Amino acid sequence: MERLAGRVILLWGWRRAITAFLAGALAVLSQAPYDFFAICFVSFPVLVWLLDGATVASQRGFLRRLVPAFATGWWFGFGYFLAGLWWIGGAMLVEADSFAWALPFAVVGIPLILAFFYGFACAVARLFWSNGLGRIAALAFGFGLAEWLRTFLFTGFPWNAIGYAATPVPLMMQSVSVTGMIGMNTLAVFVFAMLALLAARQHRRLGLSLAAILALAHIGFGYVRLAAPAKSDGRGISVRVVQPNIDMTEKWDESVRDRIFRTLLDLSAEPPEKDKPKPQLILWPETSVPFFFTERPDALTALGALLDEGQMLIAGAMREEGGNSTKGDARYYNSVVAINASGEIVDAVDKVHLVPFGEYMPFADLLARFGLDQIVAGPMNLAPGIERHAITMPSGIRALPFICYEIIFPELVAVDATSTDIIVNVTNDAWFGDTPGPYQHFRQAQLRAVEAGLPVVRAANTGVSGVIDQRGRIIDALAMDTRGVVDATISLGRYDKLTLGYPGINGLVILFAFGALGLGMGVGQKLRSN
């Protein structure tokens, strides 16, 4: 092992870049749908050894001394994000005549930019670098900090955070109810990178013991939490999730929109499965209705005829407000609307966190001068919603909606889900076909259920649709590219037993504790060497 580490440490030039790139790319196998988390016990030790060798002459300036570490981390990140996000390019091929030119930006450009976060992580870690356990703590702090920044900088995009590698199954998801994703990202890197100590004698036994204790605590807590009896407040709700499996090439085709609407109606009207009650809530995916309800009162009439008293439909739909559409000054929202048994729209919630370049164009006025206003994948620029609120159903149960990738933001869900009974998530991952993207998206919804201690009901156009309980377990789901419904009954009650404080705050405490540990050991080593 020492010989292998020595060869990695001495790599330079393109060999170092390729090794970092491959280590990052392999780490993606730990994410859904592969879930081979053990690969991180290879990728992160290799990264540690590469950073051991990321040095320059001490007389160089402060920032220049960090360049090799930043470059190593950037190549690691570029491999990780390129292998993990290539499927985003699929959205550019749905209307290839218009958007194929943007394919390189989506496939290569986004990973290229996101890799700066991991470059930053490694540069920060290198500031505290020392010979033994301290450098593992420093790397954990660097990645934990970078992943946290990735949740909000430049509108945020915390997709495939490293912590998801440590949570492939519900047994291994429960710790996030204590640590939050901030803490999970930090602890995961600390444990994954610990095998780098096998190549050195310093702190080897201590480090491996710490990693084993953390891993056992992670799994043991999951076992105890899952074995504990479910906490219910005595209420329940029956739900139906509709997955219409509409081809994206037909989604906005006016000639077939009545057929699409009829498909949604027919699926919703199917009798419940044997021994299952009639659903109180029917959920349709994001932008499932291919027209504005304000222009189709006949559609509302049909829905009124479909729904019985006590039932409610929550449907993803575009919403128009103010101005005049013929003059181009109306505002459009990506929304969910709630419709009751009288065929009335009784509530609507607009998407607050829009997708840049997909739903709105950042710096639109500036980029329009260069003819880039057509990159927006849709017929119009969307306006963001002002606030999110729970939709109250006839039974009094409160359902909090998140549209599309809003579900991937841990803090966003944690703040808004404090006074609700269930989380509903509508999305349309058909843009990306049967690629890893929809599975990664669904996995992140599972983690939000565990963090919030609330069930998640999720409808996706082509998948993955399903119902997730308060502990992240899948009650039922539909496979990708299938048409059908999921009927389920959920016991309500926030699952907060065996949790400690607020996961987000706990995560920050863990993050900065590792920063202090890395800093302390690094400073201690320098004092001893002097």
Side-chain angles (χ1 to χ4, degrees):
M1 188 65 77
E2 292 181 25
R3 182 178 300 177
L4 173 63
R7 295 183 66 176
V8 174
I9 290 170
L10 294 175
L11 288 173
W12 205 250
W14 66 268
R15 290 183 177 84
R16 164 175 287 270
I18 290 295
T19 303
F21 177 87
L22 292 176
L26 284 174
V28 171
L29 294 176
S30 65
Q31 300 286 341
Y34 315 110
D35 293 330
F36 183 50
F37 71 90
I39 193 66
C40 287
F41 288 108
V42 175
S43 290
F44 279 94
V46 168
L47 180 60
V48 171
W49 295 332
L50 287 170
L51 291 174
D52 282 339
T55 59
V56 294
S58 58
Q59 63 269 26
R60 298 288 183 88
F62 173 75
L63 291 178
R64 293 190 64 179
R65 290 203 300 272
L66 296 179
V67 168
F70 180 88
T72 300
W74 186 89
W75 278 107
F76 182 91
F78 186 51
Y80 182 77
F81 291 114
L82 184 65
L85 298 176
W86 59 267
W87 47 267
I88 289 178
M92 305 299 126
L93 300 177
V94 173
E95 297 179 32
D97 292 345
S98 300
F99 299 113
W101 63 269
L103 187 65
F105 173 80
V107 175
V108 180
I110 293 175
L112 186 150
I113 295 170
L114 290 174
F116 279 88
F117 284 96
Y118 285 5
F120 168 79
C122 291
V124 168
R126 188 67 204 182
L127 283 174
F128 307 148
W129 212 245
S130 56
N131 288 332
L133 182 63
R135 73 196 204 279
I136 308 298
L139 188 68
F141 171 68
F143 267 84
L145 182 62
E147 293 290 21
W148 180 43
L149 294 175
R150 201 153 65 91
T151 62
F152 58 85
L153 282 185
F154 312 116
T155 76
F157 189 59
W159 198 282
N160 279 0
I162 288 294
Y164 291 111
T167 58
V169 294
L171 177 70
M172 299 169 74
M173 293 177 186
Q174 306 309 308
S175 302
V176 81
S177 66
V178 175
T179 67
M181 282 307 299
I182 301 171
M184 185 59 66
N185 292 328
T186 307
L187 291 166
V189 172
F190 185 71
V191 173
F192 288 145
M194 200 62 77
L195 291 187
L197 295 180
L198 289 175
R201 295 180 181 177
Q202 189 176 20
H203 298 152
R204 179 194 298 178
R205 186 171 299 177
L206 173 62
L208 295 178
S209 298
L210 275 175
I213 290 170
L214 286 171
L216 288 174
H218 179 52
I219 294 172
F221 180 80
Y223 177 81
V224 171
R225 196 165 190 264
L226 289 179
K231 183 179 180 182
S232 172
D233 59 13
R235 297 178 299 156
I237 180 173
S238 54
V239 300
R240 164 165 293 184
V241 177
V242 175
Q243 182 170 300
N245 196 33
I246 304 299
D247 192 295
M248 282 305 296
T249 59
E250 295 185 340
K251 199 77 171 63
W252 297 104
D253 185 343
E254 293 187 4
S255 66
V256 298
R257 59 187 184 182
D258 285 343
R259 173 164 59 81
I260 292 174
F261 186 61
R262 174 51 57 188
T263 298
L264 291 162
L265 285 177
D266 290 345
L267 289 169
S268 302
E270 286 183 4
E273 297 175 26
K274 186 179 179 182
D275 300 328
K276 290 189 175 177
K278 179 176 288 189
Q280 296 167 270
L281 168 64
I282 300 173
L283 187 65
W284 289 1
E286 179 186 18
T287 60
S288 56
V289 184
F291 46 73
F292 296 113
F293 274 118
T294 50
E295 298 174 353
R296 293 290 302 270
D298 61 308
L300 291 172
T301 301
L303 290 171
L306 169 75
L307 299 171
D308 293 336
E309 287 298 325
Q311 286 188 301
M312 174 173 278
L313 168 70
I314 296 180
M318 298 296 291
R319 199 171 68 82
E320 183 184 29
E321 185 178 279
N324 188 321
S325 58
T326 58
K327 295 180 179 179
D329 58 354
R331 295 187 302 277
Y332 300 97
Y333 298 90
N334 185 356
S335 312
V336 294
V337 296
I339 299 169
N340 65 12
S342 299
E344 300 169 335
I345 296 176
V346 293
D347 205 347
V349 180
D350 304 318
K351 187 176 185 181
V352 176
H353 203 123
L354 298 177
V355 179
F357 301 103
E359 293 175 316
Y360 77 102
M361 177 67 92
F363 313 111
D365 293 339
L366 175 64
L367 294 178
R369 299 178 184 178
F370 301 95
L372 296 179
D373 53 338
Q374 294 302 314
I375 194 173
V376 178
M380 72 286 287
N381 250 322
L382 298 177
I386 304 300
E387 56 89 25
R388 189 189 326 278
H389 64 269
I391 296 171
T392 302
M393 290 186 282
S395 59
I397 293 169
R398 292 163 57 82
L400 186 67
F402 292 89
I403 300 174
C404 190
Y405 89 145
E406 289 182 324
I407 197 74
I408 76 170
F409 294 91
E411 282 72 31
L412 184 68
V413 175
V415 170
D416 290 339
T418 52
S419 59
T420 188
D421 298 304
I422 62 171
I423 293 171
V424 296
N425 177 217
V426 299
T427 191
N428 179 18
D429 291 344
W431 290 101
F432 313 108
D434 189 4
T435 63
Y439 300 97
Q440 294 167 0
H441 201 182
F442 189 79
R443 174 61 47 76
Q444 292 173 79
Q446 285 181 269
L447 268 293
R448 296 297 87 76
V450 179
E451 288 169 345
L454 293 170
V456 172
V457 183
R458 187 172 195 266
N461 176 21
T462 55
V464 180
S465 301
V467 180
I468 304 165
D469 77 2
Q470 295 93 326
R471 298 172 228 185
R473 294 177 297 198
I474 302 170
I475 297 174
D476 202 354
L478 279 170
M480 284 290 298
D481 295 331
T482 58
R483 176 174 293 172
V485 300
V486 170
D487 289 331
T489 300
I490 308 168
S491 295
L492 299 179
R494 188 180 293 271
Y495 192 78
D496 54 5
K497 194 173 184 179
L498 295 177
T499 59
L500 302 170
Y502 298 97
I505 295 175
N506 294 343
L508 288 173
V509 171
I510 293 169
L511 170 66
F512 288 106
F514 274 87
L517 178 63
L519 175 63
M521 297 189 78
V523 171
Q525 179 182 305
K526 288 183 179 179
L527 291 176
R528 287 192 297 273
S529 63
N530 292 331

